[in-house]
Amino acid sequence: MNRKTLALSAAVGLLIPALAACGGSDSGSKGGGAIVVGTTDRFAATKDQPAPLDPAYTYDTNAWNLLRQTIQTLMTQPKGEGTPVPEAAQSCSFSDNGSERYVCKLREGLRFANGDDVTAADVKYSIERSLHINADTGVASLLNTIDTIETQGDREVIFHLKTADATFPYKLSTPVAGIVNPKDYPENKLREGFDVDGSGPYTFKAEVKDNVIAGITYVKNPLYKGSLKVNNNEVDMRVFKDSDSMGAAIDKGNIDVMTRTMTPAQIQDLDAGRDKNVDLVEMSGLEIRYLGFNTDAPRVKSKAVRQAIAQLINRGELVSKVYGTEAEPLYSLVPATITGHSNSFFNKYGNPSAAKAKDLLTKAGIATPVKLTLHYTTDHYGTATKQEFEVLQKQLNDSGLFDASVQGHPWDQFRPAEKNGQYDVYGMGWFPDFPDADNFLAPFLDEHNFLGSPYSNTEIEHTLIPDSRREADRLAAAKSLTRIQDIVADDVPVLPLWQGKQYVAARDDITGVAYAVNSSSVLQLWELRHGVSG
């Protein structure tokens, strides 16, 4: 049996960064029963983030993939490539030539898991709730082209947009547009804690210890009506403290599927056939990693400092030393496989050069070495992140132009501090909300961006982003998209580093693994089942 499988039909997909897991038997799912999934991801409710699973609040791929199993959306992204298809909706389409009026008709007989009917009024309530709450995560910005929402009867919803938005069907497939029951989700207040209720394929129950999720059980929702075929009755998720303990669990058969985060060494071992009972599925990745800058912070406020960092970073060396064949250098926020990609950073800076970086700083009158701290999260993107930042630190310091240190923080501390502007330079990752260049640009550069960045460019916000969204043919948007990427390379409010592949490991009696994620890193647990792999 091949130890590694390339997931072709989901090839542009990537495994989500994802889940918190659940209790259950230590015997995995031998003999049938629940499919047991492992992860090292962590979910906590804190004073700064009291509502980590409210769709009006969370803007994190990990949390989104918990919600997608329970909260239904009008549209859904398919398990392979392609445009969104109806889910809670029976049909959705633009009703004008200008992409400014979008009409959806709900399926008949939709019900929440508690038995309440799902109506057009509930859809309107849910989306308006996200807009009105306007959480500081920036997630409501995905819906910012909506002007008004009207309903006709119990099954028709009409969206009137402020401006043309060819990407709007994609946005209706994201959890911020999820349909919630007004009984469970107050209109002007976030739902705190870890309760999730909806009309999706599963019900959700979390085991919580000390305000942290210790496990999740998903049980098939008997009232679910939608486009998804649910191939199992229960999925249990288990959280592990680290990748090694998760790897030991799949070796012993205590879990069936291993998701994030596997270390590069684990991936190499599985690829080499270390365990004959475990298959490794490789998926082309849309995940990107980048450095963000607080452009108001004194030490990086000068564009010359940010440009000098861009001129020094050796992406090839970084990828080779830390990730090997599991990543590749990235010279734009837009991944190389997405329509509209441009190698803007390479075009501007070329190969790394200390001499060119020194010239940039000298011309700007910047005294060297520039003292910086590079901040990263210790428990959100995998254990290799620490090594990655040590390589970045060495590259900067070896030039003699910077005196850089590194500092790691747990995610539940890191993310609030980053949003509050406490870090001058910080490392983040991005998994797309949908596979379009707009979603690798607007969330970082539009008004109310999710980073909370003070950087603002009027041309990008008021001309280029709107112009690109008018083009239903995304190739026709390339001129505007390229211009955005060139401005980013010049101003460097963010600095792209690499684009990654994604992997999932599963015991060989689990099928559907190649479809368990789609092109936008959406976890699709309903695709998994017990069986005999080929």
Side-chain angles (χ1 to χ4, degrees):
M1 180 177 296
N2 293 331
R3 295 271 61 79
K4 179 169 74 173
T5 302
L6 177 64
L8 297 176
S9 59
V12 269
L14 52 156
L15 179 67
I16 59 107
L19 321 155
C22 157
S25 167
D26 285 339
S27 61
S29 59
K30 293 176 182 177
I35 293 174
V36 186
V37 177
T39 183
T40 61
D41 287 305
R42 183 174 182 268
F43 296 90
T46 66
K47 181 180 179 181
D48 291 322
Q49 296 178 297
L53 297 182
D54 190 319
Y57 175 81
T58 186
Y59 199 5
D60 179 271
T61 307
N62 303 357
W64 270 19
N65 279 291
L66 301 185
L67 296 178
R68 290 181 191 276
Q69 319 307 312
T70 304
I71 302 290
Q72 206 171 11
T73 49
L74 290 171
M75 303 291 283
T76 189
Q77 297 173 44
K79 63 184 179 183
E81 295 191 51
T83 56
V85 297
E87 212 296 79
Q90 176 181 300
S91 62
C92 284
S93 64
F94 284 105
S95 61
D96 64 341
N97 293 327
S99 299
E100 293 183 7
R101 187 177 188 271
Y102 197 73
V103 180
C104 291
K105 186 173 184 178
L106 294 179
R107 296 177 186 272
E108 288 190 40
L110 287 177
R111 286 189 288 170
F112 291 107
N114 70 352
D116 291 348
D117 291 336
V118 176
T119 68
D122 295 321
V123 176
K124 182 176 187 292
Y125 174 91
S126 301
I127 294 177
E128 288 183 342
R129 175 179 181 268
S130 291
L131 287 167
H132 292 160
I133 288 177
N134 194 23
D136 61 4
T137 57
V139 67
S141 65
L142 282 171
L143 306 174
N144 64 8
T145 56
I146 295 175
D147 186 12
T148 60
I149 306 172
E150 66 172 298
T151 62
Q152 292 187 2
D154 286 339
R155 293 179 55 205
E156 188 165 275
V157 186
I158 303 168
F159 298 92
H160 300 279
L161 306 184
K162 299 173 185 176
T163 184
D165 187 0
T167 68
F168 190 66
Y170 282 108
K171 295 171 180 177
L172 289 182
S173 72
T174 62
V176 69
I179 306 167
V180 299
N181 193 329
K183 293 180 180 178
D184 298 319
Y185 293 83
E187 183 176 1
N188 297 308
K189 181 181 178 182
L190 291 171
R191 186 180 187 182
E192 298 184 1
F194 297 106
D195 290 327
V196 182
D197 295 282
S199 56
Y202 297 98
T203 60
F204 176 103
K205 184 177 181 181
E207 177 189 353
V208 180
K209 296 179 180 178
D210 299 324
N211 292 319
V212 176
I213 288 183
I216 296 173
T217 300
Y218 285 107
V219 176
K220 185 176 179 180
N221 176 11
L223 299 181
Y224 169 71
K225 287 189 177 181
S227 62
L228 308 174
K229 180 182 178 183
V230 185
N231 292 311
N232 55 68
N233 291 319
E234 182 177 329
V235 177
D236 293 344
M237 293 183 175
R238 299 182 186 174
V239 173
F240 291 87
K241 65 179 181 179
D242 53 42
S243 301
D244 289 340
S245 57
M246 181 170 65
I250 201 168
D251 288 344
K252 296 175 182 177
N254 292 339
I255 62 173
D256 301 303
V257 181
M258 183 162 64
T259 62
R260 280 183 46 93
T261 302
M262 289 179 275
T263 65
Q266 284 177 319
I267 291 168
Q268 292 167 11
D269 285 347
L270 288 169
D271 189 16
R274 175 180 59 83
D275 189 332
K276 66 181 181 179
N277 296 314
V278 178
D279 293 328
L280 181 70
V281 179
E282 174 189 306
M283 300 158 186
S284 298
L286 296 180
E287 172 191 11
I288 69 169
R289 296 286 177 86
Y290 59 92
L291 292 179
F293 297 91
N294 176 359
T295 54
D296 279 350
R299 294 188 184 186
V300 294
K301 187 171 185 177
S302 170
K303 182 168 71 172
V305 174
R306 306 192 302 269
Q307 288 180 329
I309 295 173
Q311 185 65 72
L312 288 172
I313 295 301
N314 187 329
R315 295 169 176 81
E317 179 186 61
L318 174 66
V319 166
S320 176
K321 285 187 174 182
V322 182
Y323 297 102
T325 60
E326 296 150 33
E328 56 186 354
L330 181 65
Y331 296 92
S332 169
L333 284 173
V334 180
T337 50
I338 294 289
T339 299
H341 164 83
S342 174
N343 282 320
S344 296
F345 273 83
F346 187 82
N347 295 340
K348 182 169 180 64
Y349 300 100
N351 293 319
S353 169
K356 291 181 180 179
K358 182 177 180 180
D359 188 53
L360 286 165
L361 294 171
T362 300
K363 287 180 177 178
I366 305 296
T368 58
V370 179
K371 190 175 180 64
L372 293 174
T373 300
L374 310 179
H375 297 268
Y376 69 94
T377 176
T378 56
D379 58 356
H380 198 67
Y381 300 117
T383 55
T385 307
K386 181 177 186 292
Q387 183 186 358
E388 176 180 347
F389 271 73
E390 289 170 348
V391 172
L392 292 171
Q393 175 192 23
K394 187 174 188 301
Q395 289 181 354
L396 294 178
N397 290 347
D398 283 353
S399 72
L401 302 173
F402 288 89
D403 177 11
S405 59
V406 297
Q407 189 171 347
H409 316 268
W411 179 252
D412 54 9
Q413 297 175 19
F414 175 89
R415 181 65 171 128
E418 177 273 313
K419 286 191 298 181
N420 291 332
Q422 295 178 29
Y423 304 147
D424 293 1
V425 189
Y426 52 91
M428 291 275 281
W430 181 253
F431 292 76
D433 309 322
F434 50 88
D436 187 276
D438 178 86
N439 193 240
F440 291 90
L441 297 171
F444 301 89
L445 304 168
D446 211 348
E447 294 179 280
H448 311 296
N449 64 82
F450 94 103
L451 288 175
S453 171
Y455 175 79
S456 177
N457 183 285
T458 301
E459 182 185 0
I460 290 176
E461 292 175 6
H462 299 302
T463 301
L464 296 173
I465 289 176
D467 284 353
S468 71
R469 288 173 175 170
R470 291 187 181 97
E471 302 293 347
D473 178 356
R474 302 311 283 159
L475 280 172
K479 183 178 179 179
S480 296
L481 295 170
T482 299
R483 173 64 180 152
I484 294 171
Q485 292 166 83
D486 288 345
I487 291 172
V488 171
D490 186 60
D491 288 350
V492 202
V494 287
L495 175 58
L497 297 173
W498 55 265
Q499 173 181 350
K501 298 177 183 177
Q502 296 297 316
Y503 299 86
V504 57
R507 296 192 66 83
D508 57 14
D509 61 345
I510 300 297
T511 65
V513 179
Y515 296 102
V517 292
N518 75 354
S519 63
S520 294
S521 72
V522 174
L523 183 72
Q524 301 180 140
L525 293 176
W526 50 86
E527 296 290 341
L528 299 173
R529 67 165 68 187
H530 292 284
V532 179
S533 62

